[in-house]
Short mmCIF file of all heavy atoms in Angstrom, two decimals:
data_model
loop_
_atom_site.label_atom_id
_atom_site.label_comp_id
_atom_site.label_asym_id
_atom_site.label_seq_id
_atom_site.Cartn_x
_atom_site.Cartn_y
_atom_site.Cartn_z
N ALA A 49 -21.68 -0.80 4.39
CA ALA A 49 -21.28 -0.54 5.78
C ALA A 49 -19.79 -0.25 5.88
O ALA A 49 -19.38 0.64 6.63
CB ALA A 49 -21.65 -1.75 6.65
N ARG A 57 -14.82 7.25 10.16
CA ARG A 57 -13.55 7.20 10.89
C ARG A 57 -12.64 8.35 10.51
O ARG A 57 -11.92 8.91 11.35
CB ARG A 57 -12.86 5.87 10.62
CG ARG A 57 -11.57 5.66 11.42
CD ARG A 57 -11.06 4.24 11.27
NE ARG A 57 -10.65 3.93 9.92
CZ ARG A 57 -11.26 3.09 9.09
NH1 ARG A 57 -12.37 2.46 9.48
NH2 ARG A 57 -10.79 2.84 7.89
N HIS A 65 -21.02 8.16 -5.66
CA HIS A 65 -21.28 8.41 -7.08
C HIS A 65 -22.26 7.34 -7.57
O HIS A 65 -21.92 6.17 -7.66
CB HIS A 65 -19.99 8.35 -7.87
CG HIS A 65 -20.05 9.18 -9.13
ND1 HIS A 65 -21.17 9.19 -9.94
CD2 HIS A 65 -19.14 10.02 -9.71
CE1 HIS A 65 -20.94 10.02 -10.96
NE2 HIS A 65 -19.74 10.53 -10.84
N ALA A 75 -29.70 3.94 -3.82
CA ALA A 75 -29.29 5.22 -3.24
C ALA A 75 -29.97 5.45 -1.89
O ALA A 75 -29.35 5.99 -0.95
CB ALA A 75 -29.61 6.37 -4.19
N ALA A 131 -25.04 21.24 -7.63
CA ALA A 131 -23.78 21.90 -7.94
C ALA A 131 -23.14 21.23 -9.14
O ALA A 131 -23.41 20.06 -9.45
CB ALA A 131 -22.84 21.84 -6.73
N SER A 144 -21.73 31.83 -15.67
CA SER A 144 -22.00 33.12 -15.02
C SER A 144 -23.02 33.92 -15.82
O SER A 144 -23.98 34.47 -15.25
CB SER A 144 -20.70 33.90 -14.89
OG SER A 144 -20.94 35.23 -14.46
N ALA A 154 -25.72 29.86 -9.14
CA ALA A 154 -25.40 28.44 -9.27
C ALA A 154 -24.24 28.09 -8.35
O ALA A 154 -23.27 28.84 -8.24
CB ALA A 154 -25.03 28.11 -10.71
N GLU A 177 -4.40 29.96 -8.79
CA GLU A 177 -4.91 30.98 -7.87
C GLU A 177 -5.70 32.05 -8.62
O GLU A 177 -6.78 32.47 -8.18
CB GLU A 177 -3.75 31.62 -7.10
CG GLU A 177 -4.20 32.65 -6.09
CD GLU A 177 -3.03 33.25 -5.32
OE1 GLU A 177 -2.05 32.52 -5.06
OE2 GLU A 177 -3.11 34.45 -4.98
N ALA A 184 -14.48 33.20 -8.22
CA ALA A 184 -15.09 33.74 -7.00
C ALA A 184 -15.72 35.12 -7.25
O ALA A 184 -16.66 35.51 -6.55
CB ALA A 184 -14.05 33.84 -5.89
N ALA A 203 -4.54 3.12 -12.70
CA ALA A 203 -3.41 2.78 -13.56
C ALA A 203 -2.63 1.56 -13.08
O ALA A 203 -1.89 0.95 -13.84
CB ALA A 203 -2.46 3.98 -13.67
N PRO A 205 0.10 -0.66 -10.47
CA PRO A 205 1.45 -0.44 -9.94
C PRO A 205 2.45 0.01 -10.99
O PRO A 205 2.37 -0.37 -12.16
CB PRO A 205 1.85 -1.83 -9.39
CG PRO A 205 0.57 -2.59 -9.27
CD PRO A 205 -0.33 -2.06 -10.34
N MET A 219 -3.58 7.54 -3.69
CA MET A 219 -4.40 8.23 -2.70
C MET A 219 -3.65 9.40 -2.10
O MET A 219 -4.20 10.51 -1.94
CB MET A 219 -4.81 7.26 -1.58
CG MET A 219 -5.65 7.86 -0.47
SD MET A 219 -4.75 8.74 0.84
CE MET A 219 -3.83 7.39 1.60
N LEU A 229 -3.05 22.83 -2.69
CA LEU A 229 -3.66 23.95 -3.38
C LEU A 229 -4.65 24.68 -2.48
O LEU A 229 -4.68 25.92 -2.46
CB LEU A 229 -4.37 23.47 -4.65
CG LEU A 229 -5.11 24.56 -5.44
CD1 LEU A 229 -4.18 25.70 -5.83
CD2 LEU A 229 -5.79 23.96 -6.67
N GLY A 248 -12.17 11.62 -4.81
CA GLY A 248 -12.81 10.33 -4.90
C GLY A 248 -12.47 9.49 -6.10
O GLY A 248 -12.30 10.00 -7.20
N GLN A 259 -5.97 14.10 6.33
CA GLN A 259 -4.88 14.90 6.84
C GLN A 259 -5.38 16.32 7.10
O GLN A 259 -6.32 16.77 6.45
CB GLN A 259 -3.71 14.95 5.84
CG GLN A 259 -2.99 13.63 5.65
CD GLN A 259 -2.02 13.31 6.78
OE1 GLN A 259 -1.86 14.11 7.69
NE2 GLN A 259 -1.40 12.15 6.72
N LEU A 296 -12.07 -11.15 -4.57
CA LEU A 296 -13.21 -11.49 -5.42
C LEU A 296 -14.49 -11.69 -4.59
O LEU A 296 -15.59 -11.42 -5.06
CB LEU A 296 -12.89 -12.75 -6.22
CG LEU A 296 -13.86 -13.17 -7.32
CD1 LEU A 296 -14.03 -12.08 -8.37
CD2 LEU A 296 -13.41 -14.48 -7.96
N ASP A 314 -9.67 -28.49 -32.74
CA ASP A 314 -8.75 -29.60 -33.01
C ASP A 314 -7.74 -29.78 -31.88
O ASP A 314 -7.20 -30.88 -31.69
CB ASP A 314 -8.00 -29.34 -34.32
CG ASP A 314 -8.92 -29.39 -35.53
OD1 ASP A 314 -10.01 -30.00 -35.41
OD2 ASP A 314 -8.55 -28.81 -36.58
N THR A 317 -9.55 -27.61 -27.21
CA THR A 317 -10.12 -26.45 -26.52
C THR A 317 -11.58 -26.29 -26.90
O THR A 317 -11.93 -26.31 -28.09
CB THR A 317 -9.35 -25.17 -26.88
OG1 THR A 317 -8.02 -25.28 -26.39
CG2 THR A 317 -10.01 -23.94 -26.27
N THR A 331 -16.50 -3.78 -23.25
CA THR A 331 -15.14 -4.12 -23.68
C THR A 331 -14.09 -3.46 -22.79
O THR A 331 -12.90 -3.49 -23.12
CB THR A 331 -14.91 -3.67 -25.14
OG1 THR A 331 -15.19 -2.27 -25.25
CG2 THR A 331 -15.79 -4.45 -26.09
N GLY A 334 -8.64 -3.12 -17.73
CA GLY A 334 -7.95 -2.32 -16.73
C GLY A 334 -6.69 -3.01 -16.30
O GLY A 334 -6.42 -4.16 -16.68
N GLY A 335 -5.90 -2.30 -15.50
CA GLY A 335 -4.63 -2.85 -15.04
C GLY A 335 -4.80 -4.19 -14.35
O GLY A 335 -5.50 -4.30 -13.36
N MET A 350 -17.75 -17.60 -4.59
CA MET A 350 -17.03 -16.71 -5.51
C MET A 350 -15.70 -17.31 -5.97
O MET A 350 -14.73 -16.59 -6.22
CB MET A 350 -16.81 -15.33 -4.89
CG MET A 350 -18.10 -14.61 -4.56
SD MET A 350 -19.13 -14.28 -6.00
CE MET A 350 -18.25 -12.92 -6.78
N HIS A 355 -9.30 -22.29 -15.62
CA HIS A 355 -8.92 -22.38 -17.03
C HIS A 355 -9.84 -21.63 -17.99
O HIS A 355 -9.41 -21.26 -19.09
CB HIS A 355 -8.83 -23.85 -17.49
CG HIS A 355 -8.05 -24.73 -16.56
ND1 HIS A 355 -6.73 -24.47 -16.23
CD2 HIS A 355 -8.41 -25.85 -15.86
CE1 HIS A 355 -6.31 -25.39 -15.39
NE2 HIS A 355 -7.30 -26.24 -15.14
N PRO A 386 -18.18 -8.88 -14.07
CA PRO A 386 -17.71 -8.07 -15.19
C PRO A 386 -16.47 -7.27 -14.83
O PRO A 386 -16.21 -7.01 -13.65
CB PRO A 386 -18.90 -7.15 -15.47
CG PRO A 386 -19.59 -7.02 -14.15
CD PRO A 386 -19.42 -8.35 -13.46
N ARG A 398 -32.78 -3.20 -15.41
CA ARG A 398 -33.08 -3.49 -14.00
C ARG A 398 -31.95 -4.28 -13.34
O ARG A 398 -31.15 -4.95 -14.02
CB ARG A 398 -34.40 -4.25 -13.86
CG ARG A 398 -34.43 -5.59 -14.56
CD ARG A 398 -35.82 -6.19 -14.59
NE ARG A 398 -36.77 -5.30 -15.25
CZ ARG A 398 -36.96 -5.28 -16.58
NH1 ARG A 398 -36.24 -6.07 -17.36
NH2 ARG A 398 -37.82 -4.46 -17.11
#
Side-chain angles (χ1 to χ4, degrees):
R57 185 171 65 249
H65 207 318
S144 171
E177 182 179 326
M219 180 277 294
L229 177 57
Q259 292 282 357
L296 188 59
D314 293 339
T317 295
T331 56
M350 299 299 285
H355 312 302
R398 60 189 58 86

